[in-house]
Amino acid sequence: IDVERGHRVLEVGTGSGYQAAILSRLAKEVLSIERFRTLAEAAKTRLARLGYDNVDVIVGDGLAGVPERAPFDRILVTAAAERIPDTLVAQLAEGGVMVLPLGPHDGTQHIVKLTKSQTGVARENLIGVRFVPLLPGQAKEL
């Protein structure tokens, strides 16, 4: 996925914050959602300590995204959805790109690139993969 300096990026599933740190060096702003409070807090502290000041880590539901902060030029999802999350597509800017693993949680998934335009959303299947499932809601504990 091409990320440029002027882009606003939504990352779903921050984990340790590593990917958010890389994205912060490519994009103008990175908003990262993590469903586990403990992971989000640790990543937020780590990123702040290391000087990544254009990353905001929040605890929330990755499937819901952050509509009040949309639109996003790029959305990267790091867990597999069984169907295209319409809520995230709605938060893409025109010309925006979302990359996510897509497919059944118990079978083969594909990295899919979705590109939003005035006429709809174009889909491109890239490679077969296996990812953990993208689950709704905020987790209680890790």
Side-chain angles (χ1 to χ4, degrees):
I1 186 170
D2 60 327
V3 176
E4 298 175 5
R5 196 70 194 140
H7 285 158
R8 295 184 67 244
V9 177
L10 174 63
E11 175 196 31
V12 177
T14 200
S16 68
Y18 180 78
Q19 182 172 272
I22 292 171
L23 290 169
S24 78
R25 295 304 182 232
L26 302 171
K28 176 182 178 182
E29 176 188 358
V30 177
L31 178 58
S32 188
I33 302 173
E34 175 57 54
R35 70 187 303 260
F36 291 101
R37 180 190 48 77
T38 52
L39 290 178
E41 288 173 359
K44 188 174 197 164
T45 299
R46 183 178 300 112
L47 290 164
R49 186 179 71 243
L50 294 171
Y52 294 95
D53 58 0
N54 64 334
V55 178
D56 188 8
V57 179
I58 63 169
V59 179
D61 180 349
L63 280 169
V66 191
E68 65 274 12
R69 304 264 305 261
F72 299 99
D73 301 297
R74 301 291 183 264
I75 298 177
L76 292 131
V77 182
T78 60
E82 291 190 297
R83 60 191 64 76
I84 295 171
D86 293 332
T87 53
L88 296 179
V89 172
Q91 294 173 46
L92 273 175
E94 188 174 319
V97 174
M98 177 167 42
V99 174
L100 74 157
L102 189 64
H105 292 162
D106 61 350
T108 302
Q109 304 148 355
H110 286 87
I111 295 289
V112 172
K113 178 181 176 183
L114 304 172
T115 306
K116 186 175 184 179
S117 70
Q118 286 182 335
T119 59
V121 178
R123 175 180 170 163
E124 182 182 353
N125 288 347
L126 301 177
I127 60 171
V129 294
R130 287 292 299 252
F131 274 72
V132 299
L134 180 61
L135 301 173
Q138 183 179 326
K140 292 185 178 161
E141 291 297 324
L142 176 60

